[in-house]
Amino acid sequence: MKNILLSISLSAIIISGFSQGSFQILNDHGGDLTGALYTFSGQNAPTDPFFKHDVDIVVKNTTGAAIDAKVKRIELSELSGTFNYFCFGVCYGQMAAGANYIFPAPSDPESLDYVSVAGGATSTVNTYLVPNAAVGTTKFRYVVYDGANPSDSAYVDIEFDITPASSVDERTNLNVSLFPNPCDDRAILTLDGDFSGNDLEVNLVDILGKKHL
């Protein structure tokens, strides 16, 4: 009898250890980003303080019941000179890099904010970075959790890779073509122009800001 009870107890522990949480984090196309790193590449904007990059993530309630979902942002690495903020039900104000490691903190009144997500439904989190003149990388972890059970959570890491804004020399006759466009996995990039005396760097970025080259 003792052996049977022990087996049942161990089975319960194993099942519990592999149980999934109530949330899944997706990209705009439904791809699973839960627990993953998503890298966004974009340029800075030294002369435009209103310019911003945005990455949207979709929170899905995988259960059959409504959940009061909350989101917090953890700054894993900072990039001096930038500002960041996010929207989930409400848009929060801009925060300077390094000013708030965790937002909202448990003591912040914003920690009471939540969005009720019906069973099987989704809600979008809009994340933003204002690069200003900064160049480099910064990384954030966005955690969605059940307001009634904070340990029931999921996260995604978003890294912004900011490069200097490119300038165009109007004196250079440069023609660029990409064929086919759009493409699946292969394309031909043709550059035609006078590159003498100039360093050339080519970056291929899709409409979501993901770097492919």
Side-chain angles (χ1 to χ4, degrees):
M1 186 66 176
K2 289 183 179 179
N3 290 337
I4 295 175
L5 290 175
L6 179 60
S7 299
I8 294 174
S9 299
L10 288 175
S11 298
I13 292 173
I14 292 173
I15 293 172
S16 175
F18 284 91
S19 63
Q20 294 183 345
S22 302
F23 298 103
Q24 187 179 23
I25 299 177
L26 311 171
N27 61 22
D28 289 338
H29 302 289
D32 190 4
L33 295 177
T34 310
L37 170 64
Y38 178 83
T39 299
F40 176 93
S41 299
Q43 297 181 345
N44 65 3
T47 61
D48 187 356
F50 300 102
F51 178 82
K52 61 183 179 291
H53 294 298
D54 63 282
V55 174
D56 295 342
I57 56 176
V58 179
V59 173
K60 182 177 182 179
N61 177 357
T62 60
T63 74
I67 296 178
D68 291 341
K70 297 185 176 184
V71 171
K72 63 181 176 182
R73 189 271 294 135
I74 303 173
E75 190 172 19
L76 300 178
S77 65
E78 64 183 74
L79 181 58
S80 180
T82 63
F83 291 84
N84 65 87
Y85 65 101
F86 71 93
C87 303
F88 186 58
V90 61
C91 287
Y92 302 105
Q94 291 187 11
M95 291 165 279
N100 296 84
Y101 170 64
I102 297 178
F103 179 84
S107 58
D108 294 332
E110 292 87 350
S111 65
L112 300 176
D113 296 338
Y114 67 88
V115 172
S116 184
V117 184
T122 61
S123 186
T124 300
V125 182
N126 313 107
T127 76
Y128 299 94
L129 181 79
V130 180
N132 293 317
V135 173
T137 60
T138 180
K139 186 188 298 183
F140 304 93
R141 174 165 294 180
Y142 284 90
V143 182
V144 56
Y145 61 97
D146 183 349
N149 180 19
S151 63
D152 184 2
S153 64
Y155 76 89
V156 61
D157 291 342
I158 299 177
E159 181 179 65
F160 290 89
D161 181 10
I162 306 301
T163 57
S166 60
S167 60
V168 177
D169 186 351
E170 296 181 354
R171 296 171 298 175
T172 300
N173 183 18
L174 175 62
N175 295 313
V176 180
S177 65
L178 183 68
F179 179 83
N181 184 19
C183 64
D184 291 327
D185 57 355
R186 292 186 179 183
I188 298 175
L189 178 65
T190 303
L191 303 175
D192 182 18
D194 181 10
F195 304 107
S196 58
N198 296 299
D199 293 329
L200 180 65
E201 179 180 345
V202 177
N203 290 312
L204 185 61
V205 181
D206 64 22
I207 59 174
L208 298 177
K210 185 176 181 180
K211 185 183 292 185
H212 294 273
L213 178 63

